[in-house]
Amino acid sequence: MAQAAAPEQVSFPGHDGVTLQGWLYRATAPGRHPAVIALHGCAGLTDKNGQPSARHDDWGKRLSALGYDVLFPDSF
């Protein structure tokens, strides 16, 4: 299994000044990759330090190591 890369914080400007924030875990292998949009539960996506929680970070790293690009939008 490939090594997972560190996540990067991303943002997407939207309508009426609303900006969607999220975290992107990229597959490390070269080439095109399938993508997963992963959603968080009611407790939110991030920990007290503003980083993806341990659960979300684990899933992002596991899936990206398997060759997926993983986006966690923060809708909390």
Side-chain angles (χ1 to χ4, degrees):
M1 189 181 321
Q3 196 65 270
E8 62 183 280
Q9 193 168 19
V10 294
S11 62
F12 303 93
H15 189 67
D16 290 335
V18 174
T19 300
L20 178 65
Q21 304 288 329
W23 290 89
L24 178 63
Y25 292 77
R26 292 183 188 266
T28 55
R32 295 173 50 146
H33 304 97
V36 173
I37 306 298
L39 303 177
H40 61 76
C42 295
L45 174 62
T46 57
D47 62 17
K48 295 176 185 174
N49 298 317
Q51 300 295 308
S53 71
R55 177 188 323 152
H56 298 101
D57 188 57
D58 180 55
W59 275 109
K61 287 178 178 175
R62 284 176 188 251
L63 290 169
S64 66
L66 290 171
Y68 294 91
D69 288 334
V70 184
L71 175 64
F72 280 99
D74 191 354
S75 62
F76 192 57

